[in-house]
Amino acid sequence: MSALLNVKNLQTFFFTAEGLVKAVNGIDFSIRHGETLALVGESGCGKSMTALSLLRLVPEPGRIVEGEINFDGLDLLHMPENELRRIRGNQIGMIFQEPMTSLNPVFRIGEQIAESLRLHRGLDKKVANDAAAELLHQVGIPASKQRLKDYPHQLSGGMRQRIVIAMALACKPRLLIADEPTTALDVTIQAQIMELLATLQQQQRTAILLITHDLGVVAENADRVAIMYAGLIVETAPVEELYATPLHPYTKGLLACIPRVGDNRTRLEPIKGNVPRFGSDASGCPFRPRCPVAFEPCRDQLPPLQETSPGHKARCWRVCS
C-alpha cells in the first residue's frame, strides 16, 4: 500500500531569547492510505508541534528549518500559502487539542462549520447548514439544529471538543490529524468518537495521525505506533508487536504505567525524572538521565533508529549493540 504522507528529517526549532529550542529534532515517518499511526509520548515531547509543522502552522518564534513533508506527491513545505490553504481543512483536517483555539468566539457554531463546507465543497447556505446539523448529530450533540445558533462560550468543554471534531470531518479529509481528540470527553463519548473516526476511515480510506498519551486508545485504534521523546522518535512498530515486545526503555516505562485487570501491584511504576528541557546541548541519548539500563555509550552519542525486525525500529544502544 502506497504512503499518503511521507515526512523526512523534519526539524522545527524555536529561536528564543533564552536560546535555541529543538521542538522537533529530525524525525521520519509515513502514513499509508486508510492507516492509523499513533504518535505517543509524555507532554512536552514534541507531538503537537509535529502536527502543527505538517500544516505549517508553527507559531512564532518557531520555524521549520529542515526536512520534507510530502502529501500524495505534493511538497507541503515549499507550497505557496494560497495553495496550502486549499488543502488545510479540505484534504487534511485537524482536531486541535484545545477547542477554543480553533473556534471563533464571536461567530455562531453553525456559521463556523458551514463556512468550511461552502468554501471547500461549494455548498449553498441552506445545504451547508443542513450538513452542519448532521455533523453535530454524528458526533453526539443533541438538538443539533438548535445548537447551530449557539456561540462557543455557551457550550461545555466536551461539547466544544465535539464541534471541533465535526469541523475537522466536514469535508471528509484524506488525512486527519487528531491531537488528543478525546481528552475532554467521558469514556462513553470517547468510544463513540473513536468509532466515528473508524467509520470515516473505512468509508473514505482516511489516513489518521492520532496524537495521544492514552495507550488504551492506541491499543484499540492504531495500526502502527511511533513513540516520541525529546523531539525524537525513539521506537516505532506495528501496534501488537510494540505491546508484545517493546524494545526502548522509555516505551517499557510507558507500558509499565498502565493499570491492568487482575494486576496485583499496589502501585503503578512511574518513570522517574522529567522530560528534558528542549534545546539542551547534552550529548548522547536524551533519555539517559531517566533510563534504568543506561551504560557508557549512552553518554556520548545519540543512537540511530535501527530496524530490529520488519517494521520495528528502536533508538537505543542496548538494541544496537
Side-chain angles (χ1 to χ4, degrees):
M1 187 184 298
S2 62
L4 177 66
L5 178 72
N6 271 306
V7 176
K8 294 182 180 179
N9 193 33
L10 180 62
Q11 299 180 40
T12 301
F13 296 170
F14 282 75
F15 299 84
T16 71
E18 291 76 25
L20 184 64
V21 178
K22 298 178 180 180
V24 182
N25 197 14
I27 63 171
D28 302 329
F29 65 89
S30 64
I31 308 177
R32 296 185 292 270
H33 295 267
E35 179 185 42
T36 297
L37 173 68
L39 191 59
V40 180
E42 295 168 279
S43 296
C45 284
K47 306 185 303 296
S48 293
M49 200 50 59
T50 297
L52 293 175
S53 299
L54 296 180
L55 290 175
R56 284 171 38 196
L57 294 174
V58 178
E60 292 289 344
R63 189 166 76 242
I64 301 172
V65 297
E66 196 169 330
E68 299 177 20
I69 305 171
N70 187 290
F71 174 71
D72 198 24
L74 300 174
D75 180 0
L76 298 187
L77 195 54
H78 300 100
M79 178 179 289
E81 180 64 28
N82 62 332
E83 293 182 23
L84 186 59
R85 280 197 296 266
R86 290 197 289 266
I87 291 177
R88 293 191 197 116
N90 185 20
Q91 296 189 53
I92 303 178
M94 183 161 180
I95 301 169
F96 291 89
Q97 185 173 1
E98 172 47 58
M100 286 308 286
T101 63
S102 50
L103 292 175
N104 192 319
V106 301
F107 288 99
R108 298 179 192 273
I109 296 302
E111 295 174 65
Q112 298 189 55
I113 301 175
E115 180 185 20
S116 178
L117 292 166
R118 293 196 302 269
L119 176 65
H120 293 300
R121 295 176 60 185
L123 304 184
D124 64 33
K125 184 174 181 179
K126 182 181 185 309
V127 175
N129 286 340
D130 290 343
E134 176 58 26
L135 282 164
L136 294 189
H137 175 72
Q138 288 178 3
V139 297
I141 294 181
S144 57
K145 288 188 177 180
Q146 286 72 29
R147 288 295 185 185
L148 292 177
K149 302 175 184 177
D150 289 343
Y151 291 93
H153 73 270
Q154 296 176 278
L155 304 171
S156 68
M159 283 278 201
R160 289 196 294 262
Q161 182 71 346
R162 280 179 269 175
I163 288 163
V164 169
I165 293 169
M167 291 174 66
L169 299 179
C171 294
K172 300 180 179 179
R174 301 171 65 198
L175 172 65
L176 179 65
I177 302 170
D179 190 359
E180 302 281 4
T182 60
T183 297
L185 309 178
D186 62 49
V187 291
T188 302
I189 299 299
Q190 280 187 27
Q192 292 175 2
I193 293 301
M194 295 312 301
E195 184 178 354
L196 175 63
L197 296 184
T199 300
L200 172 73
Q201 192 169 41
Q202 291 168 3
Q203 293 175 348
Q204 308 293 329
R205 290 188 71 216
T206 303
I208 298 176
L209 176 61
L210 175 62
I211 297 173
T212 183
H213 63 273
D214 190 332
L215 287 164
V217 170
V218 171
E220 291 291 330
N221 298 282
D223 300 300
R224 289 189 298 124
V225 187
I227 305 295
M228 195 166 186
Y229 187 79
L232 294 165
I233 290 178
V234 297
E235 184 166 2
T236 181
V239 64
E240 292 182 2
E241 185 170 345
L242 185 101
Y243 280 72
T245 56
L247 297 176
H248 197 281
Y250 181 57
T251 308
K252 294 177 181 179
L254 292 176
L255 292 172
C257 296
I258 303 174
R260 293 175 174 83
V261 176
D263 196 333
N264 294 322
R265 292 177 296 173
T266 57
R267 295 177 63 88
L268 297 177
E269 303 171 24
I271 303 173
K272 295 180 181 180
N274 300 301
V275 177
R277 181 184 178 275
F278 284 131
S280 63
D281 292 325
S283 59
C285 175
F287 188 61
R288 178 180 57 81
R290 307 175 70 187
C291 182
V293 295
F295 67 131
E296 191 59 31
C298 308
R299 185 181 302 276
D300 301 320
Q301 289 185 307
L302 177 68
L305 189 63
Q306 181 167 303
E307 189 168 48
T308 60
S309 62
H312 196 165
K313 300 178 181 179
R315 189 186 296 276
C316 178
W317 286 121
R318 291 286 185 184
V319 174
C320 297
S321 58

